[in-house]
Amino acid sequence: MERPLHLDTLTCEQIYNVWLTDAQLIEIYDLRTPEEFERFHIPGARRVSASELEDLIPRLGGVLGVIIAPPPLHQELKSRYGHLRDVAFLKDCDRMEKVFKKTGGQHMSIKLPEPELVNGVPTVSVRNVHDHLGEVRLIDVRRSEEFNNELGHIPGAELATLGPELTNLLTKGDRAQEIVFVCRSGARSATATLESMKLGYKYTKNMEGGMIVWNESRFPVRRDK
């Protein structure tokens, strides 16, 4: 799919349609306050400052950069970047939540920070996972005997062993759900993350370092008898 023709201002509906078709066509930079961003943001958006934006714009690499900013910052940034073909601005950001939730809540606010790509796999740290316990789905892909061994498992994690069991679970699952995969060291969970992406999942991530680093960080574990 080709990118939209250049427009310096896009409506919420226009951005929604591009995002829904292929979120990789756009990079969304949100310059609102942390409180506004936490209340609701477009899944995949990055909260940045004006100085960070200055460094990010030259790195767009052919995708469309969408800037979300409150007035008067909106006007200031538009005068600076509005002439660029790869940059557009969101019109009326107050309507953003209503438009992006019109599918009945399928597209929800993403809890974990923008993941780092490690060998092509979206990856988050054990600290980020710990800080958002209870907010995202955790799937442990180790074998059943590992789930309660000396490393234990993360409270709230569910077991779905890498292989047919996990594939069957993912085939029936919600492709818009935010999921973090966990294993002993991060290798098997990286494979699980790639498998989920091939099945159309948009917000799956690998926990870097697995239960080894989780235990080294002295985060809580369970060992069910």
Side-chain angles (χ1 to χ4, degrees):
M1 177 180 173
E2 294 182 355
R3 268 199 303 114
L5 295 175
H6 175 62
L7 295 170
D8 64 0
T9 302
L10 298 176
T11 65
C12 292
E13 287 80 5
Q14 287 173 317
I15 294 175
Y16 174 82
N17 289 333
V18 176
W19 173 85
L20 189 62
T21 302
D22 188 348
Q24 294 183 349
L25 291 173
I26 56 176
E27 287 283 347
I28 303 173
Y29 303 122
D30 196 325
L31 286 87
R32 296 174 301 152
T33 66
E35 293 77 15
E36 290 173 310
F37 186 86
E38 178 64 25
R39 186 177 68 84
F40 180 81
H41 59 271
I42 298 173
R46 301 172 60 179
R47 199 187 78 79
V48 300
S49 66
S51 59
E52 289 172 327
L53 184 66
E54 188 173 354
D55 293 328
L56 291 167
I57 291 297
R59 305 177 190 172
L60 281 170
V63 301
L64 180 66
V66 176
I67 297 173
I68 302 171
L73 183 58
H74 175 97
Q75 294 302 325
E76 178 186 335
L77 295 174
K78 194 170 182 180
S79 64
R80 188 182 307 174
Y81 303 116
H83 67 286
L84 298 176
R85 178 177 175 80
D86 290 337
V87 174
F89 290 80
L90 173 64
K91 180 181 181 181
D92 192 7
C93 60
D94 289 337
R95 296 183 58 251
M96 180 170 58
E97 181 173 359
K98 180 180 178 181
V99 171
F100 274 78
K101 285 189 173 180
K102 69 181 180 180
T103 56
Q106 179 182 7
H107 302 290
M108 63 288 195
S109 177
I110 299 303
K111 300 299 182 182
L112 286 168
E114 187 74 13
E116 178 185 0
L117 284 180
V118 178
N119 295 324
V121 180
T123 303
V124 291
S125 69
V126 295
R127 165 59 68 181
N128 283 331
V129 176
H130 173 268
D131 290 348
H132 293 274
L133 279 180
E135 298 179 2
V136 297
R137 186 179 183 185
L138 300 177
I139 298 180
D140 194 314
V141 301
R142 294 175 295 165
R143 300 185 301 274
S144 57
E145 60 267 25
E146 295 178 274
F147 196 59
N148 291 304
N149 69 1
E150 68 277 4
L151 292 176
H153 59 269
I154 299 173
E158 59 188 285
L159 178 65
T161 302
L162 185 66
E165 182 181 357
L166 178 66
T167 300
N168 183 57
L169 180 71
L170 292 176
T171 300
K172 300 175 181 177
D174 178 3
R175 269 60 170 174
Q177 188 174 34
E178 187 175 17
I179 300 172
V180 175
F181 293 103
V182 180
C183 71
R184 180 178 181 274
S185 65
R188 282 173 286 176
S189 50
T191 300
T193 305
L194 289 173
E195 179 179 352
S196 70
M197 293 167 66
K198 291 177 182 177
L199 288 171
Y201 283 78
K202 296 181 178 180
Y203 310 117
T204 50
K205 306 168 181 74
N206 177 37
M207 188 179 83
E208 188 172 27
M211 290 304 298
I212 293 176
V213 176
W214 183 274
N215 277 265
E216 289 174 351
S217 302
R218 300 185 180 276
F219 292 148
V221 297
R222 288 192 60 177
R223 298 178 182 88
D224 299 329
K225 300 295 184 180

